[in-house]
Each structure stands twice: as structure tokens, then as C-alpha cells.
Amino acid sequence: MENRVRLGMPPSAFLSRFWQKKPLFVRGALPEFRDPLTPDELAGLACEDEVESRLVDSKTWRVTFGPQKEKTLRALPKRRWTLLVQEVQRFVPEAAALLDAFSFLPNHRIDDVMVSFAPKDGSVGPHDDSYDVFLLQGQGRRRWRIDARKNRDPSLKPGLDLKILKRFESQQEWIAERGDILYVPPGVAHHGVALGDCLTYSIGFRAPNRRELWRELVNDAAHAPEAGELYRDPNIAECTHPGEIDEASLARVRKMVRALDLSDDAIDRFFGRFATR
């Protein structure tokens, strides 16, 4: 397999025109691609305790979380289900090597290589993601449809473990074959349906939101040595309104919080740990 994905343009052109802007379908992006594992090997991984997996019934959208049971997998029908396995790069070196094809992007943006197997009509429904993803087709064929409208209805079908869009209007459509890639930016709705037994590789590039960064930064700062300093008020005045938080107490708390080391260097070191763990 070639070392780098073929985008039909220089990586710099892809990054300026498509990255986090609009989807791109590339025919023959990895023309020599061969599946690094078989459907049976993927099913075997899904039965392991340390592997995260989901089995989706494409008729009811019911999700069975792993570890999967071998007996259940063997009894599955011939149509309308999908098996998804996360972080396959941790267990299959050849899957980890797929990441080399995307070396024009920084490693700290990499999330994982998720692999899915589906028979005919298998799907996880129309949805959008909060991360960038390259959908690489292995064996078989899959029909992809895209709804890239800016003002589309974001509401979801209620009562499901999957975040399936209530309304989806296809604007573009492709049939992906071995070695083809569909790039989908965050927030762009997409819907893939297997046309027969097929393996699809989702190479995800995470983009943490502000809430996640704040939560992790605060948690990180809480473990700094100075974070263990006690709240102190040795010169507290006699209290006349015990139910009130007085201005002096608020001032002491503000001073304690602002004393935490949140310099540029501290934030940079935090992000280094956060992005690479």
C-alpha cells in the first residue's frame, strides 16, 4: 500500500479547500489497499473484554454494547445489521499503519481507526459527527449520501442509543468501492448503507470542544501542588448574617482560584498531556 492517501490534489490544497469546510469523495484514494483483517477476525475482536464494540440492528436501531457473544454473532441474519469495533489500531498493526497515509495531519488530532462490518442493507442511520473522519472502503461496496445543508433540522429520533437524525435530505451520493475514501467534516450529516458484505474503516480526527478542554484543564490544575492549599480566614470578622456569603469570603476565594498556575506554559504542558494520552 502507498504511504500517503491520494486526494487528487496536493495536501495543502485539500486543507485549504475542504478540511473542516465541505465533504470530498476520492475514487481510488488508496488503490492498493487490502483489508488488514477479515470479518471473522473483527468479530473475534468484538468478543474480547478489553475491546469496545457495538452491534447495531439496522431495523430497530437497537444497540448491543460489547463484549459481544460469539453465539449471538453466529446467529445474526443475512441483512440489516452492523458491527463496529473501536481503536482497532491498538490490536492490529496493519490497521495502525493506515494512519501513515494521513501524515499530512498532526498526530495529536488522531482519534482512532474504527472498523465496521455490515451485510446487505447494514447501516447506523443518518447522523453527523463532532470530529473529522475519512471513511475508507475495504471489501464490498457502500452507498454514501450527504446532507451538507447549513440550516438542516438537527433534531434526533427520540429514545435511541444512537444519535440518528429525524430528517435527512440527500444532496450528494456515491458508491464507494475498495480503496475509495469519503472525507466528512464535523457537523455534516451522512448516511452509509452496505450494498453487500463490506468492511469500512473510519479514520477519525478528534476536535475537543471548549467544555471538554475546560473540564480537563481544571482537573489537571487540581492536581498541582499549590491546589491543595487550604482556605484560610484567620482574621475573620464576627458574623451578623450567617446565611450570607460576605464580600471578604468571595475575595479570598477569587484570590485562591487566580493563584492557580494557568500561565501559557502550564496550558501548553496540559495540552501536550491531554492530546497524547
Side-chain angles (χ1 to χ4, degrees), residues 42-63:
L42 185 70
L45 275 178
C47 295
E48 299 292 333
D49 289 338
E50 68 273 22
V51 177
E52 182 182 346
S53 68
R54 292 168 291 163
L55 178 62
V56 178
D57 184 325
S58 301
K59 294 193 324 186
T60 65
W61 305 122
R62 179 176 177 270
V63 180

Side-chain angles (χ1 to χ4, degrees), residues 33-100:
F33 177 70
R34 294 294 178 266
D35 295 286
L37 75 175
T38 67
D40 284 346
E41 289 169 336
L42 185 70
L45 275 178
C47 295
E48 299 292 333
D49 289 338
E50 68 273 22
V51 177
E52 182 182 346
S53 68
R54 292 168 291 163
L55 178 62
V56 178
D57 184 325
S58 301
K59 294 193 324 186
T60 65
W61 305 122
R62 179 176 177 270
V63 180
T64 302
F65 294 93
Q68 308 297 330
K69 296 180 180 179
E70 183 177 347
K71 181 179 179 180
T72 299
L73 297 181
R74 291 188 181 280
L76 287 169
K78 294 183 178 181
R79 296 178 57 189
R80 302 191 73 173
W81 55 269
T82 300
L83 177 66
L84 305 103
V85 179
Q86 302 285 156
E87 297 189 302
V88 173
Q89 80 279 2
R90 291 176 51 206
F91 309 100
V92 181
E94 294 82 2
L98 275 176
L99 298 172
D100 294 338

